[in-house]
Amino acid sequence: MNRILKTTVIAAAVMSVAGVAQARDQIRIVGSSTVYPFASYVTEEFGALTNFPTPVIESTGSGGGIRLFCNGVGEGTPDITNASRRMKLSELERCEENGVTDITEAKIGSDGIVLGLAATNEPIDLTLEQIFLAVAAQVPVDGELVENPYTNWSDIDASLPDRAISIYGPPSTSGTRDAFEELVMEAASSEMDIYGEEGYTDIRTDGVYIDAGENDNLIVQRLAEDTGAFGIFGYSFLVENPDTIMGATIGGVEPDVEALSSCEYPVARSLWFYLKNQHADEVPPMYEYANMFMEDQMIGDDGYLIDLGLIPLPESEREQSRQKVADRTKLVAADLK
C-alpha cells in the first residue's frame, strides 16, 4: 500500500472511531422543575421497557435548561429540554446563532401555579391584586409608586390574616417564576393605570419573597416547617402532598383539575419539551423516548402522568402535538410571535 493511500485509510479509520465515540445511546435531558416529575416517570419507564439505558435528567429550571440546550450542537449539550412555559423568540434566535437550527416543540399538557400553605392553616381566598401587592417591589401609595411598605397581609386588606408576609418562590431562571410574573403580576398590574399597559413584574428583594431554588419539593418541605408562610409552585406538587399542604383559592376558584382544564382558575399554563433534531442520528433513542412521552398511556385522559398532576390537553390538541413530534416539525420564529 503506498504512503498516500495508507494515510487516507488511517485518517478514515480515525474519523470512524471518533464518530462512534460521539454517538451515544443515553439521552440527556435538562429543564423545568415542574415538568421534572412527569419526565422522570417517562425516563424510568423508558429504561425499564426498552433496551436503552435510562435517560439522564437534570432539573435546571426552564430558563436554565433552554440556555444549556441552545449552547450548541454536539457532545456536552443536552438533547431535550423541558419547560413550564413556551420558548421565547429571543431564545430561539440564540439557539440559531449557536447552530441549533432544527428544533421540534412538544406540548404535553397543562398545569397551574399554586399559592400554597401548610394544611394546618384555615382556608384562604386571595385576589390577583392582593398577591401582587404582597410581592411587588414598588406599589402605589397615595397616587405614587413607592418601595413596598407592606409587612403583614392585613396591611394590604383588613380582611386578610394579621400575620407576616413570607413567600417562598422560584428563582428568575424558573419557568414557574416566568409564568407567575406573567399570569399574576402582569395581569394584576395591567389593571392599574399607574403601571401602564405593559404592567409591572419586579419582585421585592427585602426578604419577604424568599428565593427557594429550583426544587419545588424544598418549598413544600419549608411550608411544613414555616406554617405561616406561603409557597409558589406547580399544581402537581399540591397533588403529591395533599396531607401536607393546601392551595389558596384565587378569586374564589380552587386549583383543581376541572378549573385548570377550563382555565377558570386564573393561573393556568401549558407545559412543553423541546427536541434537538440535529442530535437524532448520534442519539438513536431520542425519538423513541419522545414518542413514548406523547402516547395516550402517558398524557391521555387516563394516562399515568395524570395521577401525578398533569392536566391533559383536549384530544384534538393532543393529537396535533403528537403529530408534530412524529413528523419532527421544525419550530420557526413565526410560531412564537
Side-chain angles (χ1 to χ4, degrees), residues 139-158:
V139 297
V141 175
D142 297 329
E144 295 184 2
L145 287 178
V146 300
E147 295 299 311
N148 196 324
Y150 303 130
T151 57
N152 280 26
W153 285 98
S154 56
D155 295 340
I156 296 171
D157 190 307

Side-chain angles (χ1 to χ4, degrees), residues 88-276:
K88 300 174 184 177
L89 178 59
S90 60
E91 291 170 328
L92 178 62
E93 290 170 346
R94 180 177 177 273
C95 267
E96 292 173 342
E97 289 170 2
N98 291 335
V100 184
T101 57
D102 192 355
I103 300 168
T104 291
E105 177 184 73
K107 187 176 181 181
I108 63 169
S110 300
D111 178 43
I113 296 176
V114 173
L115 196 68
L117 64 166
T120 54
N121 285 279
E122 292 293 321
I124 187 169
D125 180 53
L126 298 167
T127 66
L128 291 181
E129 181 179 351
Q130 289 167 344
I131 299 170
F132 171 83
L133 292 175
V135 300
Q138 293 193 322
V139 297
V141 175
D142 297 329
E144 295 184 2
L145 287 178
V146 300
E147 295 299 311
N148 196 324
Y150 303 130
T151 57
N152 280 26
W153 285 98
S154 56
D155 295 340
I156 296 171
D157 190 307
S159 67
L160 296 178
D162 184 18
R163 70 179 189 221
I165 303 169
S166 181
I167 300 174
Y168 294 98
S172 59
T173 54
S174 169
T176 300
R177 169 77 166 259
D178 289 339
F180 177 80
E181 290 177 358
E182 176 185 352
L183 298 174
V184 175
M185 300 195 68
E186 191 175 304
S189 59
S190 63
E191 297 295 318
M192 306 178 194
D193 292 339
I194 197 168
Y195 292 106
E197 293 182 1
E198 294 185 1
Y200 181 82
T201 59
D202 290 355
I203 290 178
R204 62 198 297 184
T205 58
D206 57 358
V208 169
Y209 181 95
I210 304 159
D211 184 332
E214 293 286 1
N215 190 339
D216 288 1
N217 278 314
L218 294 180
I219 297 178
V220 173
Q221 292 172 21
R222 291 190 180 191
L223 294 183
E225 300 164 358
D226 188 356
T227 56
F230 287 81
I232 299 168
F233 45 80
Y235 170 72
S236 62
F237 291 89
L238 180 64
V239 173
E240 293 173 358
N241 300 277
D243 298 328
T244 307
I245 54 175
M246 65 179 180
T249 58
I250 297 181
V253 182
E254 291 187 20
D256 58 28
V257 171
E258 185 176 346
L260 287 165
S261 182
S262 66
C263 292
E264 181 186 1
Y265 182 74
V267 199
R269 57 175 172 175
S270 300
L271 304 179
W272 316 75
F273 67 81
Y274 293 86
L275 296 154
K276 191 177 292 181

Side-chain angles (χ1 to χ4, degrees), residues 9-29:
V9 170
I10 292 172
V14 170
M15 289 177 65
S16 176
V17 170
V20 171
Q22 290 175 356
R24 54 188 164 83
D25 59 1
Q26 189 169 41
I27 306 164
R28 184 185 173 203
I29 306 168

